Amino acid sequence: MQLTADQTGHYNPTPDPIWGVWFMKFGKVRSRVRSGREEWWVEVSWEGKRYTFSSIPIYYPNHIEWYPCESKDRAEFLKIIIQDRIKDGKFNPWEFRKHSPMRFRQYAEEWLKGKKPNIGNSTFKTYRYAIDTWLVPKLGEMYLPNITKTVLRDLQNKIDREPKTKKNVMDTLSNMLRDACPDYLQNVPQFPGFKGNESIIPSDIKVPALEDVFKIIGKILDKDRHIFLFMVFTGCRPSEARAFRKEDIRGDHIMFVKTFDNYEQLAPVKGKKPLPFPMTQSLKNLLDEVPPNLTPHVFVNPNTGKPYTHKFTAIWNQACKDAEFGYLKMYNCTRHAFATMMRTEGMDLADIKDLMRHADIKTTMRYDHSSVIRLAKKVDNVLHLPNKKSVGKVLAKKNEASK
């Protein structure tokens, strides 16, 4: 039970004589006189530890007010609340602490601080935005166990943004509550889904033909070409290619361990842990051709002797113009093109997921549009028209034979 302002006047649970006797062994109302004023508090022994509580939390819609135990009646009232919590198996000492890690505001700050060293800059920005703009203003004073399915639905309805932004905010909260288990929560409440008008429809991924990609790369100078071929052969992200190190080459496979964040600082790659990528023959040949350098990185800008910065996209954009393609996004022509090619040639989605290092196969399923090309080939094999004859002529011959 969570006390609200309109419940304080009639909160009077039915006493349990047997259980009440047990409780009195572990909870007592105590008092003392200090500076001429009498103070009251509740002393509780719970799970082998001794706790004292001197304030009653009263929940309002957007905040909590704390009422000190200025009289014996208030202290008795607090004791009954705690007694009820223990009886229901829901007691947690932190609920009765004004500065509690179970208050959402305090928990959010500590959670984000703990996450920062292990996530990329863009993920941190997403978390920071969700917490500062939506979660703390709506849930700041709430006690973590009181975040219910109803609270979550109400929160989602109040996020006046596009479905994708809503999902990012709710996903942030979901991650926070999962990390709160089991220290502060027994389980995570059910989150509302995104259906109907709130359905999130990913944009179509359009990639050029493979020969067009190589035509563009052919316009890049030899000294810069290797890193672009590396992205096509591995499907890695541009920032991962720039951060790829010599120590990440492990014989029969390579590892993507580091990436560059928005501030050009090395950071861990996306995902819970680095995953291997097989050393294919084309990849091995490419790495053998990369000129040696004195840095820990495989690919360096020949003009600076340092790893490429994010501005190396200018090299790609110029090659697109030289190949008379206008503007083609480098990400589509490398990472997206890699996954699309694998799917077009019949590779299983689960294998593509591993190669792309996706956390969720739903992300990989975005590339399944390429299966239309594979299906077209299979249909043609069934409805094959020899010697490229027109459909009309084939049907006419079949009709004549049937007469």
Side-chain angles (χ1 to χ4, degrees):
M1 175 180 177
Q2 171 181 303
L3 282 186
T4 58
D6 60 348
Q7 292 174 314
T8 55
H10 55 79
Y11 182 79
N12 187 24
T14 304
D16 186 328
I18 298 177
W19 189 85
V21 171
W22 175 87
F23 177 79
M24 288 307 297
K25 296 179 181 178
F26 298 92
K28 293 182 179 180
V29 171
R30 297 188 178 277
S31 67
R32 67 182 175 189
V33 177
R34 186 167 63 175
S35 301
R37 193 182 72 173
E38 192 168 20
E39 297 178 344
W40 298 84
W41 71 92
V42 177
E43 184 178 289
V44 177
S45 294
W46 184 70
E47 293 188 349
K49 295 182 180 180
R50 177 178 170 274
Y51 299 90
T52 59
F53 307 101
S54 59
S55 296
I56 304 171
I58 304 298
Y59 291 80
Y60 289 83
N62 297 315
H63 70 287
I64 301 173
E65 288 190 8
W66 293 83
Y67 292 87
C69 294
E70 296 176 337
S71 66
K72 183 178 180 181
D73 287 344
R74 281 197 179 182
E76 291 286 355
F77 180 62
L78 176 58
K79 187 184 78 170
I80 292 173
I81 298 172
I82 295 172
Q83 171 183 339
D84 206 39
R85 279 281 196 267
I86 295 176
K87 184 178 180 181
D88 292 341
K90 297 180 180 179
F91 176 70
N92 191 305
W94 285 114
E95 181 181 2
F96 301 91
R97 296 279 189 255
K98 192 170 184 178
H99 301 288
S100 166
M102 294 183 74
R103 296 274 172 266
F104 185 83
R105 184 187 302 277
Q106 185 169 340
Y107 174 74
E109 200 59 43
E110 292 300 319
W111 179 83
L112 193 59
K113 188 186 299 183
K115 282 287 184 183
K116 188 173 183 178
N118 302 312
I119 58 177
N121 186 258
S122 60
T123 303
F124 179 80
K125 282 186 172 182
T126 299
Y127 288 164
R128 179 92 269 178
Y129 167 80
I131 290 171
D132 290 349
T133 308
W134 299 104
L135 299 180
V136 166
K138 303 294 183 184
L139 308 175
E141 300 304 322
M142 187 164 284
Y143 176 59
L144 288 180
N146 293 331
I147 299 177
T148 62
K149 181 179 178 180
T150 302
V151 171
L152 295 174
R153 168 52 66 184
D154 183 60
L155 169 66
Q156 184 167 304
N157 289 338
K158 289 180 178 177
I159 300 175
D160 186 22
R161 289 294 184 272
E162 294 297 318
K164 183 173 176 56
T165 301
K166 278 191 176 188
K167 187 174 186 306
N168 287 341
V169 174
M170 299 304 288
D171 284 350
T172 299
L173 180 57
S174 177
N175 290 336
M176 294 174 70
L177 296 185
R178 278 202 302 270
D179 289 345
C181 298
D183 294 339
Y184 303 139
L185 292 175
Q186 292 182 353
N187 49 59
V188 177
Q190 182 180 350
F191 273 67
F194 289 84
K195 300 177 182 179
N197 294 334
E198 291 187 341
S199 296
I200 298 175
I201 304 174
S203 57
D204 290 338
I205 298 176
K206 298 180 180 180
V207 299
L210 183 59
E211 55 266 26
D212 292 337
V213 173
F214 284 119
K215 188 180 295 185
I216 294 169
I217 293 178
K219 296 295 182 179
I220 298 174
L221 296 177
D222 290 345
K223 62 178 183 176
D224 294 313
R225 190 177 296 159
H226 297 97
I227 189 171
F228 296 96
L229 287 171
F230 181 76
M231 288 188 286
V232 174
F233 290 165
T234 63
C236 71
R237 301 172 180 89
S239 58
E240 294 170 343
R242 295 192 291 117
F244 187 63
R245 304 166 302 174
K246 296 168 185 174
E247 66 182 84
D248 298 329
I249 302 174
R250 312 284 178 86
D252 63 348
H253 68 278
I254 63 173
M255 299 289 292
F256 291 105
V257 180
K258 295 291 184 179
T259 185
F260 279 110
D261 63 20
N262 292 346
Y263 299 102
E264 295 298 329
Q265 300 296 315
L266 281 176
V269 294
K270 292 179 68 175
K272 294 183 179 179
K273 64 179 182 179
L275 297 173
F277 184 95
M279 180 66 78
T280 62
Q281 189 59 51
S282 55
L283 178 58
K284 183 178 184 305
N285 293 341
L286 171 66
L287 293 175
D288 288 342
E289 294 176 2
V290 176
N293 65 75
L294 300 178
T295 75
H297 298 275
V298 174
F299 306 105
V300 297
N301 186 330
N303 298 325
T304 65
K306 299 178 180 180
Y308 288 91
T309 68
H310 67 277
K311 294 182 179 179
F312 85 137
T313 54
I315 299 173
W316 175 265
N317 294 338
Q318 185 59 50
C320 289
K321 292 180 181 178
D322 294 342
E324 299 181 351
F325 282 106
Y327 173 73
L328 289 176
K329 193 173 181 180
M330 182 173 68
Y331 206 91
N332 288 352
C333 296
T334 53
R335 184 167 173 81
H336 289 335
F338 174 85
T340 299
M341 287 186 292
M342 297 301 108
R343 187 59 177 153
T344 300
E345 293 302 316
M347 183 177 288
D348 186 76
L349 278 174
D351 292 333
I352 299 175
K353 171 183 175 293
D354 292 341
L355 292 174
M356 299 292 283
R357 292 164 286 124
H358 288 153
D360 191 338
I361 198 167
K362 290 181 180 178
T363 305
T364 317
M365 289 174 68
R366 295 177 64 193
Y367 299 102
D368 211 29
H369 64 86
S370 58
S371 63
V372 173
I373 302 173
R374 294 184 297 105
L375 292 174
K377 294 177 180 178
K378 292 183 177 180
V379 171
D380 280 339
N381 289 336
V382 176
L383 300 177
H384 179 62
L385 300 179
N387 301 324
K388 297 184 180 179
K389 293 180 179 179
S390 71
V391 175
K393 290 181 179 179
V394 172
L395 291 178
K397 288 187 176 181
K398 285 186 177 181
N399 290 333
E400 289 178 3
S402 64
K403 289 181 180 179

